[in-house]
C-alpha cells in the first residue's frame, strides 16, 4: 500500500509536470540513495568552490594537496587514522541502532587514561607500558559510557542526550587536568595541554612506498578486521544482528536484550577510548591536549553514518573524509578558511546523505492528468488513507 | 561602580543566560512538535554572523536582528526539509547542520572578522526600577533583547497551554497519528515550528555578536548552543522552567570567572561541569520516576520520530 503525502505547493508543481512523489511503505535501496546523494553533494560542493573562487588554480591545488602528491597522501592518511577508530566506535553502536554521540568524550577519556598511566610508570620500557596504556584507555572509554548504557538498557533513557552531555564534562575534565600539576609550562593561549608523554610510549610512523603516515591507521584497520570477524562469525555477533533487526524477535529468542545492549555500548566506548590513546601515541600531539581532537569524535559519527555502519566501509569512508579535510586546507591560501573544508563540506555531505536516505522512502510516479482534478478532501480522512488512497492510482 | 561578588554573579548569570534562554526557547518549540534539532550550535553561529553582516550593511540594529532571525530560519528550513518533509534521520541531519554551520559561518564571516559592531543592541534602563538599591542596576539595566528573551517563555507557555493552537502544537509532538486524524497537517506544523524555532536560535546568536561581545569571531558561541539544548532537557520540556534553567546554567558558567577573581578553592571547571552532569541526572531521575509507566515521561512522545501516516 502506498500513500501520498507531500506539501500542497510541491504537489501542485509536480502535478503540472504530470509527476508526483509517493510514499513507500518500506524504504528501498537506502544504500544506493545514500551513495547517490553523497556524489551529488560532492559535485555541488565542487561547483560551489568553482563559483566562489573562480580561480583556475583551485582544482589544481586540491589535486596536489590530496591525491596528487606523496605529501598529500600522507596528509590524508594521517587525518584518516583517528577517524577510522572513532568511526568504528560509532559503527559498533549503530549495529544495535544505538547512537553513541559521546565518541568525542570517550576519545578524550582514553587519552587521559593513557597519559595517567604513562606518567605513573614513566620508567617502564616501551612495549609493556604501551600495552597498559591501551588497556587502560579501553577501560576508561567504556567506563565513560557505562552510565548512559545502563540507563538506556534498564530505564530507557535516550542515549543520544546522555552521551552528548558527557562529552562536555570530558572536555572540562581535560581543562581541569591540563591546568593542574601535569600542565605543560610552555602551552599558551587557548590550547590546553599536559607535558608530553615519555619517548618510549610513542608509536613510530610507518612508511609505505615513500608515503609516511601514523601507525594508528594500521591499528585502526586491524581493529576493523577483528570487529568485522567478531560481528560476522561469533554467537555474540549473531545475537547483535538478531536484536539489531528486531528487539522483540531477540527477546523471544531468549537473548538478554538489556545486557547485550549494555555490552555493545561498552564495546563502542572502549573502541573510542583506544582511538584517543592511539592518536596521542601515534599522532602529532604527544600530550593530553585540546588539540588532540578537531571534532574527531563527531566526524567519526559522520564516517560511520556515511559507511552505513559497515566496518570495512568505515575504513574507506575515513579516507574520504580525510581527503575532504585536506582538500579544504589546500585551499587555505585562496581566501577559503580551513573550517569550511573540514567542517562545512563534511556537514553538507552528511546532510545530503540524510536526505538521500529520506528519499528512499519515496518513489516518483507518472500521474494521469485527469486525476489532478480530484478534490484534495481525502487528505484528512483516515478511512480513505487506510483504504489505500492513491495506492493503485498511478499508471 | 564597584560590585559585590554576588552582584557580579547575578549580573553575569543574566548576561550569559539570556542568549541561552533565546536558543532554548527556539529548541523547545522544535522539540515540542517532535523535531530534535541537534544542530542548534551551528544555527546560532549562522545567526550571529548573519545578524552582524546585515547590521553592518544596513546600518541598523533592528534590521540586523531581523536578518539574524532570517538566517537562522532559512538555515533550519534546510534541516526541516530534510527531516520533516523527506523523513531523513534527525540525528544525522542535525549533525550535518551543525558542521555545515561551523564551516559556513566562519567562511562568510571572514570579511567581518575582528571588526566592531557599529550599531550594537542598546541597553535599556527600566525607569524607576533600576534605581532600587542593591539589585536595581543588576536586574534592570540590560540589553533590550534580554527583556524580550525573558518574556518569550511566558508567551510560549500561554499559547501552548491555553489555546487550541497550542493544543495542536503539543498533539503533533505527542501523538502525530491522532493529530493527523483530527485534520492537523503534521508536516506543515512541524516544519513551521522548527523553522520558527530556528529564527529564535538565530536571534540568540545575534545577541552575542551584536550585544555581548559586539564583534564577530569564528566559533564565538563556544558551546552556548549545546547548553541551550541541555536547558530544554533540564527543564523537562516545560517553557517556564526554561527561565530557571537558562539563568542557572548561565550563572554556573559565570562562576568560572568569579571563582578565579574571588580566589575560591573550587576548580572552576568543576562548576562549569555541573549543568551537564545535572542534565544527565535529571534525565535518569525522570526515567526512574516513570519506570512503571512506559507510556509516560517528560519528553514529547514522538520526539525524534519521523511521521508516516498509518504507522
Amino acid at each position: 500500500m502506498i500513500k501520498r503525502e507531500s506539501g500542497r505547493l510541491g504537489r501542485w508543481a509536480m502535478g503540472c509536470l504530470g509527476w508526483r512523489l509517493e510514499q513507500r511503505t518500506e524504504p528501498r535501496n537506502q544504500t544506493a540513495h545514500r551513495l547517490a546523494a553523497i556524489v551529488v553533494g560532492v559535485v555541488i560542493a565542487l561547483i560551489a568552490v568553482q563559483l566562489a573562487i573562480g580561480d583556475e588554480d583551485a582544482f589544481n591545488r586540491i589535486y596536489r594537496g590530496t591525491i596528487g602528491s606523496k605529501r598529500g597522501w600522507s596528509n590524508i592518511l594521517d587525518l584518516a587514522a583517528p577517524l577510522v577508530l572513532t568511526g568504528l566506535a560509532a559503527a559498533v553502536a549503530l549495529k544495535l541502532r544505538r547512537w553513541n554521540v559521546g565518541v568525542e568524550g570517550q576519545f578524550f577519556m582514553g587519552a587521559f587514561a593513557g597519559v595517567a598511566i604513562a606518567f605513573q610508570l614513566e620508567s617502564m620500557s616501551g612495549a609493556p607500558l604501551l600495552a597498559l596504556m591501551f588497556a587502560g584507555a579501553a577501560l576508561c572509554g567504556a567506563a565513560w559510557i557505562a552510565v548512559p548504557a545502563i540507563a538506556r538498557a534498564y530505564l530507557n533513557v535516550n542515549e543520544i542526550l546522555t552521551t552528548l552531555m558527557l562529552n562536555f564534562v570530558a572536555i572540562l575534565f581535560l581543562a581541569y587536568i591540563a591546568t593542574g600539576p601535569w600542565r605543560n609550562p610552555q602551552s599558551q593561549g587557548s590550547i590546553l595541554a599536559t607535558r608530553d608523554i615519555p619517548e618510549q610510549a610513542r608509536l613510530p610512523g610507518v612508511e609505505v612506498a615513500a608515503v609516511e603516515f601514523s601507525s594508528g591507521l594500521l591499528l585502526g584497520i586491524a581493529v576493523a578486521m577483528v570487529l568485522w570477524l567478531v560481528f560476522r562469525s561469533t554467537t555474540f555477533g549473531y545475537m547483535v544482528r538478531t536484536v539489531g533487526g528486531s528487539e522483540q524477535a531477540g527477546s523471544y529468542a531468549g537473548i538478554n536484550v538489556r545486557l547485550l545492549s549494555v555490552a555493545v555500548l561498552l564495546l563502542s566506548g572502549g573502541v573510542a577510548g583506544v582511538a584517543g590513546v592511539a592518536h596521542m601515541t601515534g599522532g602529532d600531539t604527544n600530550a593530553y591536549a585540546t588539540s588532540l581532537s578537531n571534532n574527531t569524535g563527531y566526524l567519526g559519527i559522520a564516517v560511520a553514518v556515511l559507511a552505513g555502519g559497515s566496518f570495512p566501509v568505515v575504513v574507506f569512508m575515513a579516507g574520504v573524509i580525510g581527503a575532504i579535510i585536506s582538500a579544504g586546507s589546500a585551499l587555505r591560501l585562496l581566501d577559503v578558511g580551513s573550517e569550511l573544508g573540514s567542517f562545512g563540506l563534511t556537514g553538507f555531505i552528511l546532510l545530503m546523505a540524510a536526505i538521500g536516505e529520506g528519499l528512499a522512502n519515496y518513489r516518483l510516479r507518472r500521474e494521469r492528468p485527469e486525476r489532478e482534478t480530484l478534490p484534495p478532501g481525502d487528505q484528512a480522512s483516515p478511512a480513505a488513507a487506510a483504504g489505500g488512497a492513491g495506492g493503485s492510482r498511478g499508471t | 561602580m564597584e560590585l559585590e561578588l554576588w552582584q557580579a554573579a547575578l549580573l553575569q548569570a543574566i548576561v550569559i543566560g539570556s542568549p541561552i534562554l533565546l536558543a532554548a526557547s527556539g529548541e523547545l518549540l522544535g522539540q515540542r512538535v517532535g523535531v530534535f534539532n541537534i544542530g542548534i550550535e551551528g544555527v546560532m553561529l549562522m545567526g550571529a554572523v548573519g545578524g552582524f553582516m546585515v547590521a553592518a550593511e544596513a546600518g541598523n540594529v533592528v534590521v540586523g536582528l531581523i536578518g539574524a532571525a532570517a538566517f537562522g530560519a532559512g538555515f533550519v528550513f534546510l534541516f526541516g526539509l530534510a527531516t520533516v518533509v523527506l523523513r531523513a534521520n534527525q540525528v544525522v541531519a542535525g549533525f550535518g547542520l551543525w558542521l555545515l554551520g561551523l564551516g559556513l559561518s566562519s567562511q562568510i564571516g571572514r570579511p567581518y572578522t575582528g571588526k566592531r559592531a557599529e550599531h550594537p543592541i542598546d541597553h535599556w534602563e527600566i525607569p524607576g526600577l533600576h534605581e532600587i538599591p542593591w539589585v536595581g542596576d543588576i536586574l534592570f539595566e540590560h540589553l533590550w533583547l534580554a527583556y524580550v528573551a525573558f518574556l518569550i517563555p511566558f508567551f510560549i507557555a500561554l499559547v501552548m497551554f491555553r489555546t487550541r493552537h497550542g493544543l495542536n502544537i503539543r498533539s503533533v509532538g505527542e501523538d502525530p497519528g491522532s493529530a493527523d486524524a483530527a485534520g492537523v497537517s503534521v508536516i506543515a506544523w512541524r516544519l513551521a515550528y522548527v523553522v520558527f524555532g530556528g529564527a529564535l536560535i538565530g536571534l540568540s546568536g545575534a545577541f552575542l555578536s551584536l550585544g555581548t561581545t559586539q564583534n564577530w569571531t569564528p566559533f564565538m558561541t563556544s558551546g552556548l548552543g549545546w547548553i541551550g539544548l541541555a536547558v530544554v532537557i533540564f527543564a523537562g520540556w516545560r517553557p517556564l522552567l526554561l527561565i530557571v534553567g537558562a539563568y542557572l546554567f548561565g550563572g554556573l558558567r559565570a562562576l568560572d570567572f568569579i571563582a578565579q577573581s574571588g580566589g575560591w578553592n573550587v576548580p572552576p571547571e568543576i562548576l562549569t561541569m555541573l549543568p551537564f552532569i545535572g542534565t544527565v541526572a535529571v534525565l535518569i531521575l525522570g526515567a526512574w520516576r516513570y519506570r512503571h509507566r512506559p507510556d509516560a515521561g517528560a519528553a514529547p512522545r514522538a520526539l525524534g520520530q519521523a511521521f508516516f501516516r498509518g504507522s
Side-chain angles (χ1 to χ4, degrees), chain B:
Chain B
M1 180 175 64
E2 232 3 74
L3 287 180
E4 305 254 342
L5 199 59
W6 67 269
Q7 286 177 311
L10 195 58
L11 186 70
Q12 283 298 317
I14 298 174
V15 168
I16 301 179
S18 297
I20 298 178
L21 187 53
L22 271 174
S25 304
E27 179 72 21
L28 178 98
L29 283 177
Q31 295 205 4
R32 272 290 187 165
V33 288
V35 183
F36 183 64
N37 180 1
I38 213 172
I40 175 169
E41 179 90 9
V43 181
M44 223 171 142
L45 280 167
M46 289 300 284
V49 73
F52 192 87
M53 281 162 52
V54 174
E57 297 303 326
N60 183 322
V61 65
V62 176
V63 179
L65 290 176
I66 294 172
F71 260 70
F75 198 54
V76 169
F77 183 72
L78 271 182
F79 173 78
L81 217 54
T83 56
V84 176
V85 180
L86 298 174
R87 278 90 163 175
N89 184 300
Q90 292 180 5
V91 179
V92 179
F95 266 114
L97 196 75
W98 169 52
L99 291 169
L100 184 61
L102 285 187
L104 205 57
S105 63
S106 5
Q107 181 61 29
I108 59 179
R110 275 169 89 81
Y112 299 88
T113 307
K115 290 190 184 152
R116 277 200 73 71
E118 301 287 335
H119 305 276
I121 304 170
D122 287 330
H123 281 263
W124 274 3
E125 294 176 358
I126 305 276
L129 289 176
H130 81 103
E131 285 158 17
I132 300 174
W134 299 106
V135 294
D137 44 3
I138 309 291
L139 295 181
F140 302 109
E141 286 180 12
H142 281 279
L143 303 175
W144 61 263
L145 195 56
Y147 306 117
V148 176
F150 178 75
L151 292 177
I152 283 176
F154 288 101
F155 184 69
I156 293 178
L158 194 71
V159 172
M160 199 170 275
F161 299 111
R162 290 281 180 273
T163 66
R164 175 161 290 274
H165 187 89
L167 184 67
N168 284 348
I169 296 176
R170 283 181 290 143
S171 70
V172 165
E174 295 285 343
D175 192 349
S178 304
D180 184 57
V184 178
S185 169
V186 174
I187 304 298
W189 281 72
R190 283 192 168 176
L191 194 60
Y193 270 96
V194 75
V195 168
F196 182 48
L200 287 180
I201 299 171
L203 269 184
S204 78
F207 190 104
L208 299 175
S209 66
L210 292 173
T212 315
T213 64
Q214 305 193 352
N215 66 4
W216 155 257
T217 41
F219 307 155
M220 66 182 299
T221 51
S222 64
L224 282 188
W226 296 118
I227 296 187
L229 183 64
V231 166
V232 174
I233 303 157
F234 185 81
W237 290 269
R238 278 162 294 187
L240 290 182
L241 283 182
L242 288 183
I243 301 173
V244 180
Y247 293 140
L248 180 67
F249 285 18
L252 282 169
R253 206 176 153 95
L255 280 178
D256 192 339
F257 310 108
I258 289 157
Q260 279 167 342
S261 57
W264 295 2
N265 222 358
V266 187
E269 293 85 7
I270 304 295
L271 292 171
T272 327
M273 264 181 212
L274 286 176
F276 302 113
I277 297 177
T279 303
V280 173
V282 163
L283 272 170
I284 292 175
L285 289 177
W288 177 255
R289 221 177 95 204
Y290 289 113
R291 68 193 177 282
H292 300 304
R293 294 158 59 199
D295 280 347
R301 235 184 305 167
L303 181 60
Q305 292 163 11
F307 171 67
F308 289 103
R309 184 176 283 172
S311 63

Side-chain angles (χ1 to χ4, degrees), chain A residues 48-110:
Chain A
V49 163
Q50 179 59 33
L51 287 180
I53 300 173
D55 190 334
E56 295 283 314
D57 207 27
F59 290 106
N60 209 352
R61 268 178 200 277
I62 291 180
Y63 178 71
R64 270 184 285 129
T66 53
I67 54 175
S69 68
K70 295 229 153 87
R71 203 191 159 77
W73 272 105
S74 102
N75 250 342
I76 293 178
L77 295 181
D78 273 343
L79 287 165
L83 292 182
V84 172
L85 282 164
T86 52
L88 288 172
V92 166
L94 282 180
K95 291 278 178 199
L96 264 194
R97 300 194 195 180
R98 300 281 192 271
W99 289 94
N100 179 3
V101 181
V103 177
E104 181 90 357
Q106 296 136 22
F107 178 92
F108 274 119
M109 292 318 284

Side-chain angles (χ1 to χ4, degrees), chain A residues 94-359:
Chain A
L94 282 180
K95 291 278 178 199
L96 264 194
R97 300 194 195 180
R98 300 281 192 271
W99 289 94
N100 179 3
V101 181
V103 177
E104 181 90 357
Q106 296 136 22
F107 178 92
F108 274 119
M109 292 318 284
F112 165 72
V115 86
I117 291 169
F119 286 161
Q120 295 307 313
L121 307 168
E122 216 149 346
S123 54
M124 213 181 214
S125 65
L129 177 58
L130 275 169
L132 274 178
M133 283 166 71
F134 273 80
L139 282 179
C140 200
W144 202 245
I145 203 180
V147 170
I150 294 168
R152 168 66 213 242
Y154 292 92
L155 288 172
N156 207 18
V157 177
N158 189 336
E159 80 282 5
I160 300 171
L161 304 176
T162 48
T163 53
L164 181 68
M165 292 300 132
L166 288 183
N167 284 345
F168 309 120
V169 179
I171 196 84
L172 288 163
F173 180 71
L174 162 67
Y176 171 58
I177 296 292
T179 50
W182 294 342
R183 183 170 63 94
N184 182 350
Q186 263 119 52
S187 77
Q188 54 197 336
S190 60
I191 291 179
L192 299 164
T194 63
R195 55 198 164 82
D196 283 359
I197 51 173
E199 253 344 298
Q200 78 270 22
R202 299 182 198 171
L203 289 169
V206 186
E207 195 179 314
V208 176
V211 175
E212 264 187 87
F213 55 90
S214 103
S215 44
L217 185 62
L218 294 183
L219 181 80
I221 294 172
V223 172
M225 281 162 61
V226 170
L227 284 176
W228 183 72
L229 271 177
V230 165
F231 277 78
R232 185 176 163 273
S233 39
T234 63
T235 319
F236 172 73
Y238 178 72
M239 293 198 299
V240 171
R241 255 175 297 144
T242 312
V243 176
S246 156
E247 294 203 10
Q248 227 169 13
S251 78
Y252 279 135
I255 299 170
N256 188 338
V257 174
R258 289 175 165 177
L259 206 58
L260 189 74
S261 157
V262 172
V264 167
L265 281 182
L266 290 182
L267 178 64
S268 171
V271 174
V274 169
V277 78
H279 193 47
M280 184 175 72
T281 53
D284 291 333
T285 308
N286 288 311
Y288 181 47
T290 41
S291 57
L292 205 53
S293 161
N294 194 1
N295 285 331
T296 307
Y298 297 112
L299 291 175
I301 300 168
V303 165
V305 168
L306 293 177
S310 145
F311 297 130
V313 186
V314 160
V315 177
F316 172 74
M317 273 301 164
V320 172
I321 299 289
I324 288 173
I325 297 176
S326 18
S329 23
L331 289 174
R332 206 171 345 190
L333 292 175
L334 294 174
D335 202 35
V336 177
S338 58
E339 299 92 2
L340 186 69
S342 48
F343 302 134
L345 287 184
T346 311
F348 182 65
I349 288 170
L350 203 56
L351 201 57
M352 290 301 288
I355 290 176
E357 281 190 34
L359 275 178

